[in-house]
Amino acid sequence: MELRRFSVFWCRTILFGSVLLQEAESYIVKLSRLCKFCDVRATSCMGVKSCKVECGITSICPDKQDVCVSIWRKMDDNITFDTFCHNPAHMLHGLVLEDHNNSKCEMKEVKGRGSQFFICSCSEDECNENIFFSSTLDSQVVEIILVSLVPLLVMAVIVITSFYCYRVYRQRKASSRCKRGPPDFSDARAIIIDDEGSDSSSTHANNLNHNMELLPIELDVLVGKGRFAEVYKAKLKQGCSVSEEQGFETVAIKIFPYEEYASWKNEKEIFSDADLRHDNVLHFLTAEERKVQRQYWLITAYHPRGNLQEFLIHHVISWHDLWMLGRSLALGVAHLHSDHTTCGRYKVAIAHRDIKSSNILVKNDLTCCLCDFGLALRLDNTLSVDELANSGQVGTARYMAPEVLESRINLENIESFKQADVYSMALVLWEIISRCNAIGEVKEYEPPFGNLRENPCVESMKDSVLRDRGRPEIPNSWINHTGIQVVCASIDECWDHDPEARLTAQCVAERFYDMEYLDKLSGRSDSEEKLPEEISTGDKK
Ligand code: ADE
């Protein structure tokens, strides 16, 4: 009996102890929250960064589940804070308090309340006293930035797209003016060059004097002087292989002093491409190093009529001469720029980069041939970074295209070098017309921009060509002649300020071909001043 009493006593003691423990536990976990509780109060808080609610009342929340809540509202100029307790299991103003487990009260904006409405909840004592608007502010800033930037971005996209479309339109217009489908290599009018049938392995091998034996040459008179070299008329002595095989007796020797090795090497390398050979490109024979005289030589065909500038100074020409000179000049430049030969084989495109009337020779048949390739550039993918970097501004200031004067040529696009050549070619075509008797009264020869001093510098050319957008004058009297009118229209398109809008040299050549009927119609009157008989026997080609 005693034993039973003893065990009942211990059971009761243990039971009572565990009930006490449970009560204590629930007392610790479920302590009622202390929150700021002022209901609605006016505030000076502007809803930026952080604020302290101006509420002096701290309440023990009625329900143990309650958390602290703050609401910030702005209606017109009336700004208020609501502070109170709320059980997050229930909706508040139609909202679920998702942030009630936070230790800090971080405001979130609720839209569509007819006023600015921010709410936060948190579950630490008096945590609704210090309010943070940081994230809201960020989103406001982002919103403001977006609202102000989006119209600007849209405008920029519209402007860039319109500009791009305009450029594409101009480019298409420029190329459509001459589009005739793929080149027709069987065209009887196409230039016949004597490399037909030679295989492409001949590239770089032709014309070089490999046996190291110097040609027997007798220098005659000085016929030209350039920046890097002098040109002599010369005689190939009897029995020489070049003389016998290629029919040359009189040749031109371009002599570079040792110091101008780079220029000689560049010109030699350009000439050494067999595919460069063309009726309208100076015929190259060979290159030599003359150690004794410390000179480098380039040996080429000799053209007794000399350069085009000299020729125009001394001759007034007919429409037929103009047509011959202009057409052959365009053909020469087109061949240089082309990446295929007249028989369709691949060749490297070349930019001349110093096209001017004194770098063009006049052949006996009154056609032009391009010479002086000292600054020429092979437009292939072997171009080194250095070569490209040094290609910004070369040539003769008077003939430099606007983008070259500005050193703003697009070095990444090989077409830009061709476009700069086309600009210079347009100035030469203008010089040719200025000496043609079909324009009416013919004045003394003047170079393009002749009002400028002898060798204008880049800065004076910038003033004329860039600042004033000046070009040589095309008087009204010039366009009375149908053919000259067409040439002037082409010139105008070739010296366009926008390189992309310029015609290609091939296109100009085709326009000359289209005028062949005019040439046939016009009575041919050759250039007015004749050269002495003696000098017309140089090139037997
Ligand atoms: N001047 C420069 N090169 C010439 C050449 N090959 N023939 C005649 N005169 C020139």
Side-chain angles (χ1 to χ4, degrees):
M1 184 67 184
E2 280 302 307
L3 185 70
R4 210 175 140 253
R5 263 199 210 138
F6 179 78
S7 59
V8 167
F9 167 78
W10 274 112
C11 280
R12 279 192 182 154
T13 311
I14 291 165
L15 206 70
F16 180 68
S18 72
V19 167
L20 267 182
L21 215 70
Q22 266 181 13
E23 288 239 324
E25 236 173 52
S26 70
Y27 182 79
I28 292 164
V29 175
K30 296 286 181 195
L31 254 188
S32 281
R33 183 86 50 228
L34 294 174
C35 292
K36 287 293 173 187
F37 205 140
C38 286
D39 285 329
V40 185
R41 282 274 169 93
T43 178
S44 56
C45 171
M46 298 307 291
V48 174
K49 290 189 180 166
S50 63
C51 295
K52 196 165 186 163
V53 296
E54 293 130 34
C55 168
I57 305 169
T58 302
S59 265
I60 301 173
C61 291
D63 189 331
K64 285 194 177 122
Q65 311 296 323
D66 279 357
V67 296
C68 306
V69 177
S70 283
I71 295 175
W72 181 92
R73 279 184 247 230
K74 184 178 179 199
M75 173 83 90
D76 304 324
D77 285 340
N78 191 17
I79 309 173
T80 55
F81 255 125
D82 295 14
T83 45
F84 51 91
C85 300
H86 182 78
N87 182 345
H90 304 159
M91 303 255 271
L92 175 65
H93 294 290
L95 301 166
V96 177
L97 297 178
E98 283 169 350
D99 57 350
H100 68 89
N101 283 326
N102 286 0
S103 55
K104 288 202 250 159
C105 216
E106 287 180 15
M107 283 296 195
K108 295 251 157 31
E109 187 171 16
V110 180
K111 298 271 183 194
R113 304 255 153 181
S115 60
Q116 266 186 286
F117 185 103
F118 288 77
I119 185 166
C120 68
S121 61
C122 50
S123 45
E124 267 186 20
D125 286 346
E126 295 182 288
C127 62
N128 63 340
E129 184 175 24
N130 293 310
I131 309 300
F132 299 92
F133 288 88
S134 54
S135 58
T136 327
L137 176 70
D138 286 351
S139 68
Q140 272 180 332
V141 170
V142 169
E143 213 172 282
I144 292 167
I145 291 174
L146 278 181
V147 166
S148 48
L149 276 189
V150 163
L152 279 179
L153 280 174
V154 170
M155 291 267 286
V157 168
I158 293 173
V159 169
I160 291 168
T161 315
S162 327
F163 180 70
Y164 176 77
C165 293
Y166 171 73
R167 293 287 295 250
V168 170
Y169 163 76
R170 289 210 59 171
Q171 252 171 290
R172 293 227 174 111
K173 204 170 142 218
S175 53
S176 69
R177 282 174 296 209
C178 282
K179 277 264 148 51
R180 291 180 166 189
D184 179 3
F185 301 117
S186 65
D187 190 340
R189 296 173 309 181
I191 331 90
I192 295 142
I193 59 169
D194 53 4
D195 63 348
E196 229 95 343
S198 67
D199 72 285
S200 54
S201 62
S202 62
T203 306
H204 286 286
N206 246 26
N207 302 318
L208 280 180
N209 195 2
H210 284 293
N211 63 15
M212 303 308 281
E213 234 178 68
L214 302 176
L215 291 175
I217 285 171
E218 199 177 287
L219 291 183
D220 193 346
V221 285
L222 179 75
V223 291
K225 215 170 171 150
R227 230 176 311 187
F228 309 114
E230 290 179 334
V231 182
Y232 285 82
K233 180 182 176 189
K235 267 210 162 61
L236 274 178
K237 289 189 193 139
Q238 291 258 305
C240 155
S241 63
V242 177
S243 160
E244 274 160 20
E245 287 160 22
Q246 302 195 33
F248 284 93
E249 282 167 17
T250 310
V251 288
I253 315 287
K254 190 167 178 181
I255 301 180
F256 299 75
Y258 257 18
E259 297 72 44
E260 303 299 347
Y261 170 77
S263 183
W264 171 79
K265 183 169 172 278
N266 190 55
E267 192 158 4
K268 179 188 76 154
E269 281 172 3
I270 295 281
F271 269 135
S272 301
D273 185 344
D275 289 324
L276 183 65
R277 290 182 65 184
H278 188 276
D279 276 356
N280 305 115
V281 172
L282 179 61
H283 187 107
F284 173 67
L285 295 170
T286 193
E288 290 181 352
E289 180 185 356
R290 297 269 168 160
K291 287 194 174 129
V292 180
Q293 298 103 311
R294 292 175 54 78
Q295 290 171 344
Y296 295 107
W297 286 17
L298 291 178
I299 303 166
T300 66
Y302 174 73
H303 297 291
R305 285 182 187 264
N307 74 46
L308 180 62
Q309 185 173 49
E310 285 297 320
F311 182 80
L312 293 175
I313 289 171
H314 296 112
H315 298 82
V316 170
I317 58 171
S318 65
W319 158 249
H320 170 71
D321 303 337
L322 184 161
W323 187 81
M324 292 282 285
L325 292 167
R327 185 195 62 142
S328 55
L329 167 62
L331 279 173
V333 178
H335 175 70
L336 215 61
H337 288 180
S338 179
D339 55 13
H340 54 260
T341 64
T342 38
C343 38
R345 201 175 50 231
Y346 171 77
K347 86 175 240 307
V348 175
I350 289 167
H352 188 285
R353 303 201 298 169
D354 198 15
I355 292 180
K356 54 182 176 180
S357 49
S358 58
N359 279 344
I360 296 163
L361 296 170
V362 179
K363 302 210 295 188
N364 284 336
D365 60 358
L366 269 207
T367 58
C368 290
C369 73
L370 297 167
C371 68
D372 203 336
F373 292 89
L375 294 175
L377 193 67
R378 286 165 63 89
L379 303 176
D380 59 2
N381 46 18
T382 62
L383 271 181
S384 70
V385 178
D386 270 3
E387 276 172 310
L388 272 178
N390 294 331
S391 358
Q393 194 178 67
V394 296
T396 305
R398 188 190 292 278
Y399 289 84
M400 272 181 196
E403 66 278 12
V404 179
L405 286 168
E406 267 189 305
S407 294
R408 283 183 59 160
I409 188 159
N410 179 359
L411 300 176
E412 277 162 25
N413 180 6
I414 59 167
E415 291 306 309
S416 19
F417 293 101
K418 300 179 190 175
Q419 289 154 358
D421 271 355
V422 165
Y423 171 93
S424 316
M425 182 183 80
L427 296 183
V428 177
L429 288 173
W430 176 91
E431 285 175 77
I432 298 174
I433 300 180
S434 75
R435 295 290 289 160
C436 174
N437 57 20
I439 59 170
E441 191 208 342
V442 181
K443 298 200 186 116
E444 289 282 289
Y445 168 84
E446 271 213 345
F449 304 103
N451 54 328
L452 301 178
R453 64 191 171 85
E454 213 181 314
N455 285 316
C457 62
V458 168
E459 287 311 310
S460 351
M461 289 312 299
K462 273 187 179 172
D463 288 348
S464 296
V465 174
L466 286 164
R467 189 194 60 198
D468 305 341
R469 295 273 170 119
R471 298 291 185 269
E473 194 201 348
I474 297 183
N476 284 339
S477 61
W478 288 22
I479 46 185
N480 289 337
H481 184 282
T482 320
I484 294 180
Q485 191 181 11
V486 174
V487 184
C488 287
S490 299
I491 289 176
D492 201 44
E493 291 178 81
C494 288
W495 65 34
D496 198 299
H497 188 83
D498 175 5
E500 309 247 341
R502 291 177 202 150
L503 298 179
T504 60
Q506 180 61 33
C507 176
V508 177
E510 284 171 17
R511 287 199 181 172
F512 271 104
Y513 277 129
D514 292 343
M515 287 187 288
E516 201 167 8
Y517 75 96
L518 275 177
D519 185 53
K520 299 249 163 73
L521 285 180
S522 78
R524 290 185 183 190
S525 65
D526 283 339
S527 50
E528 278 164 23
E529 190 185 315
K530 297 282 176 203
L531 288 167
E533 285 292 275
E534 176 261 321
I535 55 174
S536 62
T537 52
D539 180 2
K540 292 188 175 175
K541 226 163 82 85

